[in-house]
Amino acid sequence: MRRLLHALTGAALFATAGLTALATPNVASAADCTPAQVVANGGFESGSSPWTAPSGAITADAGQSAHSGSSFAWLDGYGSTHTDTLSQSVTLPAGCGTATLGFWLHVDTAETTTSTAYDRMSVKLGSTTLATYSNLDAQAGYVHKTVDVSAFAGQTATLSFTGVEDSSLQTSFVLDDVTLDASGGTTPPQPGDPTRTPAAPAYTVALTSDASGGSWTGHESVNFTNASPTPLTEVYLRLWDNAHGSCPSTPITVTNVTGGTPAPLSVDCTALKVTLPAPLAQGQSGTVGFDLGITVPSGADRFGHDGAYNFLGNALPVLAVRDAAGWHLAPYTNNGESFYSVAADFAVTLDHPTSLLVPATGTSVDTPGAAGRTVTKATASKVRDFAWGAGPFTRISGTSAAGVKVNVYSVAGISAADSKSMLSTATSAVDAHAQRFGAYPYGELDAVIDNNFWFGGMEYPGFVLDLVSTTALTHEIGHQWWYGIVGDDEYNGPWLDEAFTDYATDLAQGKTGNGCWSSVSWASSAEKITNSMAYWDANSSRYSTVVYGYGKCALHDLRRAIGDTAMTALLRNYAQAHWYGVSTTAEFKAAAQAATTVDLTSFWSQHRIDG
């Protein structure tokens, strides 16, 4: 996410897992893929079969607790030299372009060190070590882990979890809800066909909330066009917030699908394939509709509720993208973002109690509904997603010097002075970014402020979640350009929005970045600014340092290399050329080289910017 807390503190919010040089291909589809979840009894509710496990390792013992249900797998925890291995054979369907291993892990330890891994658990598929955890990864509760194992498509291998404990001070590795989802489309693009499709999506949504604003039901439909010369025989809906539940018990439910035939949920219940009634040729359009249910879980998260205040980021299903790499069906990441979508139009009607304010993407108009209720109609053009909130917020409003309406919605506990400060920050930041990159196109901007957000800040088109922080809010508003207007594949190229937005934040705050590159220290030869979230999820303690910190330093260095005038023109022209489009590293490098007579070949190598 735009977890700016990473950029502000450099602190890792989740445990680090080691990942070997496992292939992480883009998610290309194949003709013979049958989506499947191939781990049997992943919740351990049916005893030990088909797992091979030490006696008593699969248990409902009161010493630990399950993530869901009543049973779980408990490795080690003896406080003496000990090894436990849990395993089962799995077969990944042939032809599937993506496969994701997911599991919930709770590490409980009596070790007191903050620097030495005395006890370890390794995760393997066949002979390949996918990840390693230790006593240093101890958490108060379960943490969801995902690993891309697409390279194993068509193979049968043993999935194993092995905990090794030393001679003193127990460490328990507790596992639950293990899944291995394989999926993929049925119409791979023609060789050399880079067209992003489905194109020009138009979403129409009507939802009604309960009294709290935490439960919504209604209907969603999406009209789309096949822009590619390759026929479109299916589409995928991304139900991103199902990653916050326990598959198959999910907070987002899609039923009564029309306009196509749905397959079982895949990719940890975040992807729904819908086979179309007939292939769509280039230029032809289709519509998929469905009934939608949303239940907001507890927690001050981008999808969650903090007491009476509900935050609904990524709650609406959106279409996945197929391009030259195939269907992009990346797993959800809580460390950053997985989102990749084309610009779309949204018309969203939200029926809710009048006592609740509903900030939302786009321009909103409130009209009276049934007794005690209000209907908020939000419309947004050329946006990549839609988010909203619902709660008894306090709202203040203002207008920037350039004429952008800004609303600040605050939860209880945010002082009036802090709300006014955030309004001042927002109005100045939106104009500062617009002056550099192009006029803000979304009419109004809503900022929702809650100091309990564990992640720092998160952006959606025309809608941001944030702490009381001038730097954080300036950053999140910068994402309206770098992710919102100029899109990117956030899973495979997170630097394209995070580094660019942190650089834009520095510019807005008058920071030059002098000397920031001099303190760079790479953790390994595999570490690069342009690495994907698959790498950063396995090396989470380095994510903010490299992607945010080194990334913006590289852009400051590029400015010094080509000159201030050339850099200013480069970014503005690049934004204009990719307005409502999608940026890639290769395109940016080419644009930068075209903007200067300086040979940048060694610059990209030195700064580890590949692509």
Side-chain angles (χ1 to χ4, degrees):
M1 22 205 106
R2 314 307 159 186
R3 303 271 169 166
L4 189 61
L5 193 61
H6 290 272
L8 293 175
T9 68
L13 298 177
F14 279 100
T16 301
L19 186 68
T20 62
L22 179 65
T24 309
N26 285 335
V27 183
S29 53
D32 57 352
C33 175
T34 301
Q37 197 293 102
V38 301
V39 168
N41 190 26
F44 307 106
E45 301 299 319
S46 302
S48 60
S49 180
W51 294 99
T52 298
S55 176
I58 296 177
T59 181
D61 192 289
Q64 295 287 345
S65 60
H67 173 257
S68 66
S70 59
S71 297
F72 48 90
W74 185 350
L75 306 184
D76 296 337
Y78 292 90
S80 59
T81 303
H82 191 84
T83 299
D84 280 336
T85 297
L86 172 76
S87 65
Q88 75 167 260
S89 178
V90 295
T91 300
L92 280 71
C96 290
T98 185
T100 304
L101 172 66
F103 54 93
W104 290 85
L105 174 66
H106 170 50
V107 180
D108 171 41
T109 188
E111 300 282 4
T112 59
T113 179
T114 59
S115 59
T116 304
Y118 290 113
D119 310 313
R120 298 175 182 270
M121 185 190 77
S122 61
V123 185
K124 291 185 176 182
L125 194 55
S127 60
T128 301
T129 299
L130 306 176
T132 302
Y133 306 90
S134 75
N135 50 280
L136 300 178
D137 297 321
Q139 296 272 350
Y142 280 93
V143 176
H144 194 229
K145 305 293 184 181
T146 59
V147 182
D148 188 304
V149 293
S150 303
F152 289 84
Q155 299 181 33
T156 297
T158 297
L159 172 65
S160 64
F161 301 84
T162 300
V164 179
E165 199 171 13
D166 73 354
S167 59
S168 64
L169 298 177
Q170 75 87 23
T171 298
S172 298
F173 299 98
V174 188
L175 294 155
D176 203 357
D177 296 324
V178 181
T179 59
L180 204 170
D181 286 295
S183 61
T186 58
T187 55
Q190 297 172 359
D193 174 14
T195 309
R196 296 180 180 95
T197 199
Y203 297 87
T204 303
V205 184
L207 298 173
T208 300
S209 83
D210 66 356
S212 72
S215 178
W216 298 78
T217 56
H219 190 78
E220 176 177 343
S221 65
V222 54
N223 180 265
F224 52 88
T225 300
N226 180 23
S228 167
T230 303
L232 192 66
T233 62
E234 75 283 328
V235 296
Y236 280 87
L237 293 166
R238 296 314 306 263
L239 284 61
W240 286 115
D241 282 338
N242 279 349
H244 295 271
S246 178
C247 183
S249 300
T250 59
I252 309 297
T253 58
V254 167
T255 55
N256 299 322
V257 175
T258 59
T261 304
L265 290 170
S266 60
V267 196
D268 201 24
C269 285
T270 67
L272 177 64
K273 177 182 175 180
V274 180
T275 301
L276 302 177
L280 295 180
Q282 188 173 27
Q284 290 186 321
S285 298
T287 301
V288 170
F290 47 88
D291 291 335
L292 177 64
I294 302 170
T295 302
V296 181
S298 178
D301 209 333
R302 53 186 176 185
F303 178 60
H305 70 84
D306 183 10
Y309 302 94
N310 299 277
F311 315 106
L312 294 102
N314 307 112
L316 294 184
V318 295
L319 290 172
V321 176
R322 192 189 75 189
D323 59 20
W327 285 105
H328 285 256
L329 301 176
Y332 181 93
T333 175
N334 216 15
N335 189 36
E337 286 86 28
S338 302
F339 317 128
Y340 175 27
S341 55
V342 299
D345 295 338
F346 284 82
V348 180
T349 302
L350 302 169
D351 184 323
H352 57 90
T354 303
S355 59
L356 304 180
L357 295 183
V358 179
T361 291
T363 301
S364 295
V365 176
D366 289 346
T367 57
R373 298 186 68 87
T374 294
V375 177
T376 297
K377 294 185 177 180
T379 56
S381 178
K382 303 298 183 183
V383 296
R384 297 181 193 280
D385 204 346
F386 184 98
W388 74 101
F393 297 102
T394 298
R395 177 178 57 198
I396 60 173
S397 301
T399 303
S400 77
V404 178
K405 181 181 179 181
V406 178
N407 305 301
V408 171
Y409 293 81
S410 300
V411 304
I414 303 296
S415 70
D418 281 342
S419 294
K420 290 179 181 178
S421 174
M422 291 299 93
L423 179 60
S424 176
T425 294
T427 54
S428 62
V430 72
D431 284 355
H433 295 313
Q435 186 176 17
R436 287 186 174 88
F437 310 123
Y440 179 76
Y442 296 137
E444 64 182 61
L445 173 65
D446 293 341
V448 180
I449 309 299
D450 186 341
N451 277 332
N452 290 329
F453 288 141
W454 68 267
F455 48 86
M458 177 67 195
E459 79 296 334
Y460 296 95
F463 178 97
V464 300
L465 306 173
D466 220 325
L467 309 170
V468 176
S469 168
T470 297
T471 300
L473 187 55
T474 303
H475 175 100
E476 302 308 326
I477 292 173
H479 275 305
Q480 299 303 309
W481 283 263
W482 303 106
Y483 142 79
I485 298 168
V486 180
D488 62 287
D489 176 351
E490 296 181 294
Y491 189 83
N492 285 309
W495 90 287
L496 286 166
D497 51 286
E498 294 300 357
F500 281 59
T501 297
D502 241 19
Y503 176 75
T505 301
D506 275 3
L507 296 181
Q509 296 187 322
K511 298 177 182 178
T512 64
N514 285 337
C516 69
W517 190 255
S518 61
S519 61
V520 167
S521 177
W522 298 104
S524 73
S525 60
E527 189 170 83
K528 302 178 189 300
I529 288 174
T530 47
N531 280 351
S532 74
M533 287 308 306
Y535 179 88
W536 299 120
D537 279 348
N539 299 272
S540 58
S541 66
R542 297 287 294 170
Y543 171 61
S544 64
T545 299
V546 177
V547 173
Y548 290 74
Y550 296 1
K552 77 171 179 182
C553 285
L555 293 174
H556 279 298
D557 278 1
L558 180 62
R559 174 175 52 82
R560 283 184 277 271
I562 69 175
D564 288 357
T565 300
M567 186 67 168
T568 298
L570 165 63
L571 287 182
R572 185 176 183 88
N573 292 340
Y574 189 78
Q576 294 296 314
H578 292 78
W579 206 257
Y580 302 137
V582 174
S583 171
T584 68
T585 298
E587 288 171 330
F588 178 72
K589 289 170 66 175
Q593 186 60 76
T596 182
T597 58
V598 177
D599 186 347
L600 296 175
T601 303
S602 62
F603 179 93
W604 307 126
S605 177
Q606 176 194 352
H607 291 78
R608 300 197 183 192
I609 296 174
D610 291 349

